[in-house]
Amino acid sequence: MKATLAILNELEAHGIFRRYAIGGAMGALFYAEPVVTYDLDVFVVLPVSRGGLLTLTPIYDALRQRGYEPKDEQVIIEGIPVQFLPAYNPLLEEALEYAHTMQVEEVSTRVLQIEHLICISVHTGRLKDRERVRLLMEEGHPNNTFLAEICARHHLTLSTMRGEFS
Amino acid sequence: MNTLPPGMETAIAAKQKHRRELAALSYEEKLRILLRLQRISDAIRQTRGEPARAWPLDDKTLLPMSPVPPRISD
């Protein structure tokens, strides 16, 4: 995986995106038990385009130049399918700002904090997101005060067996 | 009232303990487990005629197993 992360770090260093952080199931892997997944979700803060639109085209172009061809909204980078997800709402923007720097095989990377992973899953709301919330709450030991603050700030309600965060 | 059969509470507690231990592993160890899970999943998927999806990473190095196409520099 460090080869994939090295490419992400290179893209950020070249300004292809301003900041990235791992989310989704691979982000949850930092905090909870392994669960089968096949994608690496990478949240990105994109440079502002002329028309003010969010587009991943510059990322895909930069990856093509490096020999990685996008296919179906994914790019296989050093063996791992990567899906780039722009920070398109205040919750994601905040999550990226607060993301932790971690070391994976001696390569630095950034991962969303567990509290933001939980809130993003609550916001997305699919069945598998609800399962991820359960897993992270049970195994990841989130800071409940911080979690409640994020929920309140972004108008989210998190119902758990231990009560509601909103 | 829901009551568990004898021994079930012990079994459930043991499973929870094991899951907490898994959660506490290093990221690299979890990645290796993930690769094994992907391969197990592939073995089942392929019995249904579905394609393999496991990442082609070496268990030890966590680097791609197949040769990487030559990179084109900037």
Side-chain angles (χ1 to χ4, degrees):
Chain A
M1 184 157 162
K2 65 180 176 184
T4 308
L5 298 177
I7 298 298
L8 297 178
N9 290 338
E10 184 184 316
L11 293 177
E12 185 179 277
H14 280 77
I16 307 302
F17 39 76
R18 289 198 294 191
R19 188 173 172 87
Y20 85 87
I22 296 170
M26 293 302 290
L29 192 67
F30 283 90
Y31 306 105
E33 65 181 275
V35 171
V36 169
T37 184
Y38 294 99
D39 305 323
L40 175 63
D41 289 340
V42 174
F43 289 92
V44 291
V45 178
L46 295 172
V48 179
S49 69
R50 281 188 195 165
L53 296 175
L54 292 175
T55 175
L56 297 173
T57 302
I59 299 177
Y60 294 151
D61 289 344
L63 286 165
R64 276 195 198 93
Q65 287 171 5
R66 287 161 172 80
Y68 306 107
E69 190 64 38
K71 186 184 173 190
D72 300 333
E73 307 298 321
Q74 283 185 342
V75 190
I76 296 179
I77 302 175
E78 301 297 315
I80 297 179
V82 177
Q83 183 159 32
F84 291 94
L85 302 159
Y88 65 87
N89 64 32
L91 173 59
L92 291 173
E93 288 170 358
E94 180 187 297
L96 272 153
E97 187 186 326
Y98 279 80
H100 281 313
T101 298
M102 304 273 214
Q103 296 293 118
V104 177
E105 304 174 80
E106 294 139 20
V107 174
S108 283
T109 188
R110 244 179 258 112
V111 61
L112 299 187
Q113 291 202 39
I114 183 174
E115 295 83 7
H116 282 108
L117 280 171
I118 290 168
C119 289
I120 290 165
S121 295
V122 169
H123 183 257
T124 311
R126 299 165 302 180
L127 280 174
K128 73 174 183 181
D129 296 300
R130 291 184 215 167
E131 171 58 17
R132 185 172 301 150
V133 169
R134 185 198 65 77
L135 207 62
L136 289 171
M137 294 292 290
E138 284 185 7
E139 296 179 5
H141 311 295
N143 179 314
N144 289 336
T145 305
F146 186 38
L147 184 58
E149 286 171 7
I150 300 170
C151 287
R153 195 158 45 241
H154 298 281
H155 314 292
L156 297 168
T157 301
L158 171 57
S159 297
T160 72
M161 294 182 70
R162 285 173 282 177
E164 278 206 356
F165 295 88
S166 60
Chain B
M1 186 169 90
N2 292 327
T3 53
L4 293 170
M8 276 300 288
E9 284 186 10
T10 309
I12 289 170
K15 278 177 82 77
Q16 286 174 337
K17 177 173 178 284
H18 178 58
R19 296 178 79 170
R20 283 194 297 271
E21 287 166 355
L22 285 172
L25 292 173
S26 71
Y27 196 70
E28 289 82 355
E29 287 169 309
K30 290 183 194 179
L31 270 176
R32 291 186 171 90
I33 292 171
L34 173 63
L35 290 175
R36 290 205 294 274
L37 288 172
Q38 287 180 345
R39 287 173 195 144
I40 291 167
S41 176
D42 271 356
I44 297 166
R45 290 162 54 81
Q46 285 172 313
T47 65
R48 300 196 294 249
E50 294 172 20
R53 296 183 66 187
W55 297 347
L57 303 185
D58 181 88
D59 282 349
K60 289 190 180 139
T61 64
L62 298 176
L63 289 169
M65 285 190 284
S66 51
V68 177
R71 288 183 49 180
I72 302 160
S73 56
D74 288 326

